[in-house]
Amino acid sequence: MLSKSSKYAIRAVLYLTIKASKENKIGSKLVADKLEIPAPFLAKTLQELTKNNILTSVKGPNGGFYLTEENCKKNIFDIINCIDTTSKLEQCFLGQLECDEDNPCVVHELYAPFKKQLIHKLKNHTILEMANEYIKNNDFINSL
């Protein structure tokens, strides 16, 4: 459903939301090491997210990435749209070209409500809300 690129981007943004700040910017290599993501790949992804105002970055010796209050108001759907476009979320679960109420695949009735609920959450919860939910549900992030 989501590409590896989108998954990496979401994980990195959530990590930066939790661990970075204007006073404590974090470099892409450290994020890549902590999240076990290939560093060159993540660096390009973070640059793309910065270009699309989902992250903020500062170059130089004390540089790195962080999220401003404005960045935190974006949502996970924005991240996916930046990296992959959101059409992947709209596709048929089984990959049929035509799958809708009139021409459903064999799992359409099961998958359609889930997809609708997922897209709603991704669009209507901010990055900050999702990061707080992540903290609540995943104690291991504090050890990173």
Side-chain angles (χ1 to χ4, degrees):
M1 187 163 154
L2 290 179
S3 71
K4 206 178 263 193
S5 300
S6 281
K7 291 176 187 177
Y8 287 164
I10 292 166
R11 289 176 54 217
V13 169
L14 291 175
Y15 180 82
L16 289 166
T17 304
I18 295 163
K19 295 291 188 177
S21 66
K22 187 174 184 178
E23 297 76 29
N24 182 38
K25 299 165 203 68
I26 300 176
S28 62
K29 182 161 178 14
L30 179 62
V31 176
D33 290 346
K34 292 289 186 183
L35 299 179
E36 298 177 347
I37 298 171
F41 183 81
L42 184 62
K44 290 178 187 175
T45 300
L46 296 179
Q47 288 171 359
E48 190 65 28
L49 292 167
T50 300
K51 189 170 101 176
N52 285 277
N53 298 314
I54 295 169
L55 292 177
T56 299
S57 69
V58 174
K59 294 181 183 190
N62 295 319
F65 296 90
Y66 68 101
L67 282 84
T68 64
E69 279 186 43
E70 274 308 303
N71 299 139
C72 286
K73 291 177 185 175
K74 302 273 185 170
N75 57 54
I76 303 296
F77 199 80
D78 294 326
I79 297 169
I80 297 165
N81 196 40
C82 172
I83 301 302
D84 274 338
T85 75
T86 54
S87 63
K88 285 196 178 236
L89 292 173
E90 302 295 337
Q91 294 173 349
C92 170
F93 183 76
L94 296 179
Q96 281 185 204
L97 295 177
E98 291 184 36
C99 178
D100 55 30
E101 298 299 320
D102 296 328
N103 188 28
C105 72
V106 295
V107 295
H108 182 80
E109 288 181 30
L110 178 67
Y111 181 65
F114 165 77
K115 180 169 65 172
K116 183 178 180 182
Q117 185 180 14
L118 175 64
I119 290 171
H120 181 268
K121 184 167 185 170
L122 296 177
K123 283 183 175 179
N124 293 294
H125 291 82
T126 67
I127 290 171
L128 184 58
E129 290 170 333
M130 296 292 264
N132 287 332
E133 186 175 326
Y134 193 79
I135 290 169
K136 187 175 91 178
N137 295 328
N138 298 284
D139 289 336
F140 73 89
I141 193 76
N142 294 319
S143 66
L144 295 177

